[in-house]
Amino acid sequence: MASVLSRRLGKRSLLGTRVSAPSALADGVLVATQIPGMHISFPCPEEPGAGGTKVLVTYNGQECAGLVEQHNPLSDKVKVLLPEQGLQACWRAQDVRLAALQPPILPAAGGPGPAETLQRSVSSNIDVPKRKADATVEMDEMVAAMVLTSLSCSPVVQSPPAGESASRAACDPWKESGDVSDSGSSTTSGHWSGGSDISTPSPPHPAGSPKYSSEALSSPQADDGFETDSDPFLLDEPAPRKRKNSVKVMYKCLWPSCGKVLRSIVGIKRHVKTQHLGDSADSDQRKREEDFYYTEVQVKEEPAPEAAAATSPTSASAPIIIQQALAKPEALLVEQPALEPALASSALSQSAPSSFWHIQADHAYQALPSIQIPVSPHIFTSISWATATSTLPSLSPVRSRSLSFSEPQPPTPMLKSHLIVASPPRVSIGTRKVRGEAKKCRKVYGIEHRDQWCTACRWKKACQRFLD
DNA sequence: GATGCCGGGGA
DNA sequence: TCCCCGGCATC
């Protein structure tokens, strides 16, 4: 997992950015109705040694200071780190000028592709956490975890390689204005272009390198137009099943006035390569560039008529995607412990069945009176046991835990306990509750003062007075 | 063996 | 629903 994440960091670093349509970019201004976006295009094979140079770039219509990280003389692209925006992206070298120079004239439209102009901005609709530049990687990993979470929760098998999907879904999913001639099946969410493996902070993957071919291209390369999912995180998933709020990943060509949407990453790559880049076999550059002419589109799949969701431009808005991306507690726990409380809450609220929460609420309710209130044990225990026995038989793990957690819990610990419950079954499932450390009524009062025991103890039930 | 408590049953 | 207890798991 970690390795998967790390080698996708660059793409993920494009969180909160989007690709703006060429038509909008032609004017150098984004359409008003369009979410401010980012336009990136070409991979940036790094040129070591260029890093650290302070430059100015036009970003979101504004001058932004950045630091050159790499310069690719081949494609004449410069990878610029924007500390203020907490992201990095590739710019055409001519669009990047030294801090002392005047801004260049924005290139005119009509270039060979969307890569012709570069303009990016952070989406104003997504709460993109602004971070320090040195926290970019952390953010990337966080996003990756989130997206992986989403993908692994999605029953639809349209899962790209983990890292790729991570980075793409992390990007601003707003609809493009120009090249979106959607086939109706793409509610262009999770738009993403460029920023593929090659522009990652991790070592570049030359087109022919084993790493590039095996890692970036291996999994979805069935080349059958149907992206089978080789994502290791999904291998254990049961057969694809429709689930609420699941996201179906499509791939949309970003070539101007194309907008072809395919279900397969292989297919879209092939489309880009053959239709737009030309299928010359010897062009390593083009092999790399093909990644930058398509974007991942996450189509929200709902029980409601799918066509409606697909045609509605707002049906798969970014916030929804992000929320879904959070819906894997295990992944969150593993990948981003620091984010656990906040993410987990939304994750569970999104993913957990409502009945589950209802049950939890019941236990929270029943647990409260049990704490340090031995005054009327009869009343309490009546409620408690009635609730427990009526609602819990189908959730034995919950039962065990919730009966133990009778003391009032602060919100976060409660969430953690929920996460534990939501996590895969434990060994103790189905077994009886482990004896707690706390002394029970029998120990405290002694068998000779049995009348002072709590009712549960008297009934040889789980002690409700001295909870574990 | 003591303890904790689940499951079951009687009133 | 209250109450009790057999029996099992754990300490």
Side-chain angles (χ1 to χ4, degrees):
Chain A
M1 175 65 121
S3 62
V4 175
L5 292 176
S6 61
R7 63 174 183 257
R8 311 286 187 186
L9 293 180
K11 290 167 70 175
R12 290 193 295 273
S13 70
L14 301 175
L15 168 68
T17 61
R18 74 175 301 281
V19 176
S20 52
S23 62
L25 290 169
D27 299 333
V29 178
L30 294 173
V31 178
T33 58
Q34 182 178 3
I35 305 305
M38 153 191 153
H39 199 84
I40 54 177
S41 57
F42 288 132
C44 293
E46 291 84 354
E47 177 189 80
T53 305
K54 291 184 178 179
V55 295
L56 290 175
V57 295
T58 303
Y59 171 80
N60 195 19
Q62 294 182 344
E63 291 289 320
C64 296
L67 293 176
V68 173
E69 291 211 329
Q70 280 119 4
H71 175 226
N72 175 27
L74 270 180
S75 60
D76 201 27
K77 292 293 183 293
V78 180
K79 182 190 288 186
V80 179
L81 172 68
L82 299 177
E84 295 181 5
Q85 281 72 25
L87 48 79
Q88 60 181 180
C90 294
W91 306 79
R92 292 199 313 169
Q94 62 196 80
D95 294 340
V96 177
R97 60 258 178 216
L98 294 176
L101 300 179
Q102 291 299 315
I105 299 174
L106 285 174
E116 189 59 21
T117 59
L118 292 173
Q119 192 165 17
R120 60 184 297 177
S121 66
V122 175
S123 166
S124 61
N125 288 33
I126 293 183
D127 185 16
V128 179
K130 297 207 172 187
R131 302 237 181 157
K132 301 174 295 185
D134 57 0
T136 301
V137 171
E138 297 176 6
M139 177 182 70
D140 294 342
E141 292 181 353
M142 171 191 75
V143 173
M146 290 159 49
V147 175
L148 286 174
T149 289
S150 168
L151 292 171
S152 58
C153 284
S154 172
V156 182
V157 196
Q158 296 297 327
S159 172
E164 284 188 350
S165 59
S167 63
R168 292 176 205 164
C171 296
D172 185 32
W174 298 101
K175 188 180 183 70
E176 300 182 30
S177 63
D179 57 348
V180 177
S181 57
D182 285 339
S183 59
S185 62
S186 70
T187 42
T188 58
S189 63
H191 269 302
W192 165 84
S193 80
S196 75
D197 303 288
I198 298 176
S199 65
T200 67
S202 58
H205 306 307
S209 73
K211 184 174 184 178
Y212 180 78
S213 57
S214 64
E215 293 183 0
L217 296 177
S218 61
S219 50
Q221 299 303 314
D223 199 21
D224 54 358
F226 190 92
E227 181 181 318
T228 57
D229 189 8
S230 61
D231 187 333
F233 302 101
L234 294 176
L235 290 178
D236 293 335
E237 286 279 335
R241 57 188 183 277
K242 293 285 182 177
R243 197 188 293 177
K244 257 191 176 180
N245 297 329
S246 63
V247 176
K248 182 174 185 175
V249 180
M250 308 286 283
Y251 299 92
K252 180 170 173 293
C253 179
L254 294 177
W255 197 272
S257 70
C258 176
K260 185 177 180 62
V261 176
L262 297 176
R263 296 176 60 192
S264 155
I265 190 172
V266 180
I268 195 68
K269 283 183 177 181
R270 185 170 51 191
H271 163 79
V272 169
K273 188 166 58 179
T274 58
Q275 300 297 318
H276 304 310
L277 293 176
D279 200 3
S280 57
D282 58 346
S283 176
D284 288 349
Q285 181 66 31
R286 285 176 177 174
K287 279 185 180 177
R288 287 189 293 252
E289 289 180 3
E290 68 194 27
D291 284 355
F292 295 85
Y293 289 108
Y294 70 85
T295 186
E296 182 178 289
V297 177
Q298 296 194 5
V299 180
K300 183 179 178 182
E301 284 193 328
E302 301 201 46
E306 193 168 333
T311 54
S312 170
T314 59
S315 62
S317 60
I320 294 175
I321 296 301
I322 293 301
Q323 286 177 340
Q324 290 171 343
L326 299 175
K328 186 77 179 270
E330 296 111 319
L332 292 170
L333 289 172
V334 171
E335 296 300 327
Q336 287 295 328
L339 295 171
E340 177 184 332
L343 297 183
S345 61
S346 65
L348 287 171
S349 64
Q350 293 292 324
S351 62
S354 58
S355 58
F356 172 82
W357 289 99
H358 179 67
I359 290 169
Q360 291 301 310
D362 285 344
H363 283 283
Y365 152 76
Q366 83 172 40
L368 284 178
S370 71
I371 178 65
Q372 299 172 351
I373 306 179
V375 182
S376 58
H378 287 73
I379 296 175
F380 158 67
T381 50
S382 298
I383 298 170
S384 171
W385 288 104
T387 307
T389 54
S390 63
T391 59
L392 290 177
S394 63
L395 291 169
S396 53
V398 177
R399 181 181 192 172
S400 292
R401 301 297 304 178
S402 58
L403 288 178
S404 314
F405 283 133
S406 293
E407 295 190 11
Q409 304 269 340
T412 300
M414 283 299 287
L415 282 175
K416 292 194 174 188
S417 69
H418 291 166
L419 286 178
I420 292 171
V421 171
S423 61
R426 296 183 155 198
V427 177
S428 62
I429 285 181
T431 63
R432 73 167 48 191
K433 178 180 177 180
V434 177
R435 183 184 297 183
E437 296 291 326
K439 292 190 174 184
K440 306 298 180 183
C441 293
R442 177 194 290 260
K443 271 279 183 64
V444 172
Y445 300 109
I447 198 163
E448 63 275 14
H449 297 103
R450 193 165 184 254
D451 54 344
Q452 296 182 9
W453 294 4
C454 70
T455 305
C457 282
R458 272 188 276 120
W459 294 350
K460 296 175 73 173
K461 303 291 185 188
C463 179
Q464 297 297 318
R465 185 175 296 174
F466 304 100
L467 301 163
D468 296 324

